[in-house]
């Protein structure tokens, strides 16, 4: 969803709607709950008085039909020929100018109606309901959990929704929007991360695939193993809990649940077709007990509704609203920008509350399990900058508020020890690095010790701040990540020391 508005040079109001393929995909993949967020009496008024009433008036008009079918067809063809000829005569003397504008301004294809929604609508419907039959490619079947520790792990990956990096105080924002996690030990906040897209339908399939933004292909991503699949191949027990309407295909081959906001058992957290993200903490608690009982390596995905607009006020319980006054309506164009920002910031603070809940739950079991949490959002949001609101602006012209998102992680002492992590190094690198969602796939494989040929250590944000003793297919040690930062520093980990003694190559560098 995107909207651009403002004033032209003469001070008159203007509004531009950009409608492209990604927007049509968003439209086709939405659900009732999400669609209801855009409902307002203003929208009803517009449809009724600018759509229904004129249609009724036209319906009452008497049409004089041609006496014969051929006569009617001929008159219409004649009108079409005259119209095309007129356009041709007008444009011919200026063809070079028009051609240059068309070549250099691809955005026009997305703004000229009815061409835009007709062309992209046909393309999106064909891709969604009549896709090319592509054989599914299974990637990462060679994956194994390759680590020396004995205790199993519980790792939680939290996928955020519409959280933009600019509104996190760790990135220089003037408000404290992270009041719940700011005092947590071993909580690492990364510099703003560049997204793969400006809408969930693009960013999620992209970041969960082994494709980079530059090489991303929708058909390819949908028809090959995702990160979720590969973690399951390696031996992790995987579960996905979704409070945002769906995982865009990345979880469809593993156990998953899309929260039903209308189910009676969810009424504690849900109303008006939307649920607070706290419902996912209950799901997390229940799934962890399964892992505890079976002592299994487990990865749990929590997909938040997070900061999904325009009804930001529906994402936060009233007793947890921190910033007022708020915009408590769907037609945000009738609110002051200050109210919209307050409502949005409340969603960021509430997400921080959810992350604190995840950390507290994992901390309880950190003695017997290596526990950790990793959070990243799918895309950002515009809150009035450059006259833009919401998200989904074509990437080539999208502001960084839509293309830069937060990324952070928390690691228990047991997880840090088991993975030989240098937290001082990681904290330093997190703030100075240049990150994108291209890093996500390989960083998750790396930190979860998933040994596979798909893994690219150049895209692993943890690589230089830990030691990972990897084995080849025969079980022999063949690679160790040992950066200069570790030189001259002692490691109080007997397993690593023993490996270094047995393998002199570990001391090279």
């Amino acid at each position: 969803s995107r909207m651009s508005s403002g004033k032209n040079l003469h001070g008159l109001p203007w509004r531009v709607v950009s409608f492209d393929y990604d927007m049509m995909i968003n439209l086709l993949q939405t659900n009732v709950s999400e669609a209801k967020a855009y409902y307002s009496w203003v929208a009803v008024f517009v449809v009724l008085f600018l759509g229904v009433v004129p249609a009724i008036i036209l319906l009452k008009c008497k049409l004089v039909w041609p006496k014969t079918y051929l006569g009617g067809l001929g008159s219409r063809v004649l009108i079409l020929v005259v119209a095309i000829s007129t356009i041709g005569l007008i444009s011919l003397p200026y063809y070079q100018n028009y051609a240059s504008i068309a070549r250099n301004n691809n955005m026009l294809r997305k703004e000229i109606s009815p061409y835009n929604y007709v062309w992209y609508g046909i393309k999106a419907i064909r891709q969604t309901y009549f896709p090319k039959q592509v054989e599914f490619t299974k990637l990462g079947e060679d994956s194994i959990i390759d680590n020396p520790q004995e205790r199993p792990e519980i790792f939680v990956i939290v996928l955020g929704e519409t959280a933009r990096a600019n509104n996190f105080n760790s990135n220089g924002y003037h408000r404290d929007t992270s009041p719940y996690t700011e005092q947590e030990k071993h909580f690492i906040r990364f510099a703003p991360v560049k997204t793969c897209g400006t809408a969930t339908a693009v960013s999620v399939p992209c970041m969960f695939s082994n494709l980079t933004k530059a090489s991303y292909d929708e058909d390819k991503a949908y028809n090959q193993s995702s990160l979720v699949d590969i973690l399951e191949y390696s031996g992790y027990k995987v579960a996905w809990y979704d409070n945002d309407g769906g995982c865009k295909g990345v979880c469809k081959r593993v156990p998953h649940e899309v929260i039903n906001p209308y189910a009676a058992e969810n009424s504690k957290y849900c109303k008006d077709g939307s649920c607070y993200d706290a419902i996912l903490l209950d799901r997390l608690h229940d799934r962890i007990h399964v892992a505890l009982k079976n002592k299994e390596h487990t990865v749990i995905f929590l997909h938040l509704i997070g900061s999904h607009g325009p009804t930001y006020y529906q994402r936060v319980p009233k007793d947890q609203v921190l910033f007022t006054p708020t915009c408590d309506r769907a037609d945000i164009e009738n609110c002051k920008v200050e109210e919209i920002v307050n409502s949005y910031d409340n969603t960021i603070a509430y997400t921080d509350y959810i992350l604190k809940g995840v950390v507290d739950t994992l901390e309880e079991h950190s003695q017997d399990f290596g526990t950790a949490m990793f959070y990243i959002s799918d895309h950002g949001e515009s809150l009035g900058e450059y006259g833009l609101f919401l998200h989904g602006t074509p990437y080539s012209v999208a502001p960084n508020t839509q293309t830069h998102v937060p990324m952070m992680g928390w690691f228990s002492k047991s997880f840090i020890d088991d993975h030989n992590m240098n937290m001082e190094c990681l904290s330093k690198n997190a703030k100075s690095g240049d990150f994108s969602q291209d890093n996500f796939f390989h960083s998750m494989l790396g930190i979860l010790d998933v040994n596979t040929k798909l893994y690219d250590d150049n895209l692993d944000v943890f690589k230089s701040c830990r030691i990972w003793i990897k084995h080849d297919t025969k079980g022999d040690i063949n690679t160790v990540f040992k950066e200069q930062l570790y030189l001259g520093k002692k490691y109080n980990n007997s397993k690593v020391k023993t490996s270094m003694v047995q393998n002199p190559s570990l001391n090279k560098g």
Side-chain angles (χ1 to χ4, degrees):
S1 48
R2 67 174 79 97
M3 177 175 63
S4 177
S5 60
K7 293 184 177 180
N8 62 18
L9 295 177
H10 304 288
L12 299 174
W14 56 266
R15 180 168 293 174
V16 175
V17 175
S18 178
F19 212 101
D20 60 3
Y21 173 74
D22 291 343
M23 184 51 59
M24 280 303 308
I25 290 296
N26 290 336
L27 181 64
L28 293 172
Q29 292 186 2
T30 193
N31 53 48
V32 174
S33 176
E34 189 176 46
K36 283 176 63 178
Y38 296 90
Y39 172 86
S40 69
W41 287 112
V42 173
V44 173
F45 176 84
V46 170
V47 172
L48 183 61
F49 289 98
L50 298 184
V52 176
V53 172
I56 292 174
I57 294 173
L58 287 174
L59 193 63
K60 295 294 183 180
C61 293
K62 290 185 178 181
L63 299 178
V64 178
W65 297 97
K67 293 182 180 180
T68 65
Y69 177 80
L70 288 177
L73 179 62
S75 64
R76 284 164 174 76
V77 170
L78 180 62
I79 292 172
L80 184 62
V81 170
V82 171
I84 293 175
S85 300
T86 303
I87 293 172
L89 289 172
I90 293 173
S91 62
L92 192 61
Y94 307 100
Y95 172 76
Q96 286 185 329
N97 292 335
Y98 289 142
S100 176
I101 291 172
R103 281 195 299 268
N104 297 321
N105 297 273
N106 290 331
M107 279 293 295
L108 288 176
R109 293 180 299 174
K110 303 169 183 178
E111 295 174 352
I112 298 175
S113 297
Y115 164 85
N116 52 1
Y117 60 82
V118 172
W119 173 260
Y120 291 113
I122 293 172
K123 182 179 178 183
I125 290 172
R126 185 174 65 244
Q127 288 289 93
T128 302
Y129 300 108
F130 308 99
K132 293 184 296 184
Q133 295 301 315
V134 179
E135 185 177 351
F136 184 82
T137 303
K138 225 174 180 183
L139 302 178
E141 290 187 281
D142 62 329
S143 302
I144 60 168
I145 304 173
D146 192 2
N147 55 33
Q149 65 264 33
E150 295 179 0
R151 57 187 152 198
E153 294 176 353
I154 299 176
F155 197 99
V156 177
I157 297 176
V158 182
L159 178 58
E161 168 65 51
T162 322
R164 66 187 217 171
N166 303 54
N167 287 51
F168 283 73
N169 52 294
S170 58
N171 292 321
Y173 193 50
H174 66 280
R175 276 178 169 167
D176 183 8
T177 50
S178 305
Y180 301 99
T181 63
E182 60 186 356
Q183 300 301 323
E184 284 291 333
K185 289 183 63 178
H186 313 312
F187 203 100
I188 303 296
R189 304 176 194 276
F190 291 82
V193 176
K194 295 177 184 176
T195 65
C196 192
T198 59
T200 308
V202 177
S203 285
V204 172
C206 179
M207 66 192 287
F208 276 83
S209 75
N210 69 325
L211 306 172
T212 62
K213 182 185 183 303
S215 64
Y216 178 68
D217 178 87
E218 181 185 59
D219 288 333
K220 192 173 183 180
Y222 273 88
N223 291 284
Q224 67 179 29
S225 303
S226 71
L227 170 68
V228 186
D229 298 311
I230 294 166
L231 293 178
E232 187 175 56
Y233 300 160
S234 70
Y236 281 100
K237 296 296 182 181
V238 176
W240 183 291
Y241 298 100
D242 205 298
N243 191 35
D244 196 31
C247 65
K248 307 305 178 186
V250 302
C251 70
K252 64 182 179 181
R253 291 169 292 274
V254 303
H256 63 276
E257 177 192 357
V258 178
I259 302 297
N260 180 1
Y262 302 102
E265 63 269 22
N266 297 331
S267 60
K268 176 182 175 183
Y269 299 102
C270 308
K271 65 177 181 178
D272 299 327
S274 177
C275 301
Y276 299 127
D277 283 324
I279 195 171
L280 295 176
L281 295 179
D282 282 4
R283 297 297 194 274
L284 174 64
H285 182 271
D286 294 342
R287 186 60 186 83
I288 282 180
H289 275 278
V290 175
L292 293 173
K293 179 181 178 181
N294 300 323
K295 296 183 179 179
E296 297 170 327
H297 286 288
T298 304
V299 178
I300 303 169
F301 293 87
L302 304 178
H303 190 186
L304 308 182
I305 197 169
S307 304
H308 199 293
T311 50
Y312 306 119
Y313 70 96
Q314 291 184 341
R315 312 292 169 238
V316 185
K318 291 189 181 300
D319 61 351
Q320 291 192 245
V321 169
L322 301 181
F323 310 109
T324 57
T326 57
C327 177
D328 297 342
R329 55 195 301 170
D331 51 340
I332 58 175
E333 65 271 21
N334 293 309
C335 291
K336 295 178 181 178
V337 173
E338 175 195 3
E339 296 171 340
I340 298 171
V341 172
N342 285 341
S343 295
Y344 182 84
D345 284 349
N346 285 326
T347 68
I348 299 297
Y350 186 63
T351 293
D352 189 65
Y353 167 79
I354 299 299
L355 297 182
K356 169 65 171 172
V358 173
V359 169
D360 288 346
T361 301
L362 292 174
E363 186 72 78
E364 293 176 14
H365 309 292
S366 61
Q367 294 298 318
D368 300 319
F369 283 73
T371 58
M373 181 273 296
F374 192 84
Y375 168 86
I376 186 171
S377 183
D378 55 357
H379 55 77
E381 185 88 324
S382 284
L383 297 173
E385 300 87 0
Y386 310 107
L388 285 168
F389 290 89
L390 306 177
H391 56 270
T393 303
Y395 202 95
S396 59
V397 295
N400 65 9
T401 54
Q402 293 188 35
T403 61
H404 286 70
V405 296
M407 184 169 78
M408 56 194 75
W410 170 85
F411 309 92
S412 66
K413 183 65 166 57
S414 57
F415 191 93
I416 293 170
D417 291 342
D418 289 344
H419 290 261
N420 309 305
M421 298 173 68
N422 186 318
M423 298 304 289
E424 181 181 349
C425 162
L426 185 58
S427 181
K428 179 181 178 181
N429 287 1
K431 278 302 175 187
S432 60
D434 182 17
F435 307 112
S436 75
Q437 288 181 340
D438 292 350
N439 296 113
F440 176 72
F441 179 90
H442 301 279
S443 298
M444 292 300 95
L445 291 181
I447 198 62
L448 286 166
D449 295 325
V450 177
N451 193 346
T452 171
K453 293 177 182 178
L454 290 175
Y455 170 71
D456 183 351
D457 63 343
N458 293 315
L459 292 173
D460 182 355
V461 300
F462 300 105
K463 171 198 168 184
S464 62
C465 297
R466 59 171 297 218
I467 293 178
W468 181 15
I469 304 171
K470 291 174 64 179
H471 296 73
D472 61 23
T473 54
K474 297 178 181 178
D476 299 324
I477 295 175
N478 63 7
T479 304
V480 172
F481 299 142
K482 185 170 182 288
E483 300 297 319
Q484 289 184 352
L485 183 71
Y486 292 106
L487 296 180
K489 291 189 176 182
K490 290 185 177 181
Y491 247 101
N492 296 317
N493 188 307
S494 59
K495 295 173 183 174
V496 175
K497 287 182 178 179
T498 302
S499 295
M500 287 185 171
V501 171
Q502 294 175 348
N503 297 274
S505 62
L506 301 185
N507 294 311
K508 291 181 180 180

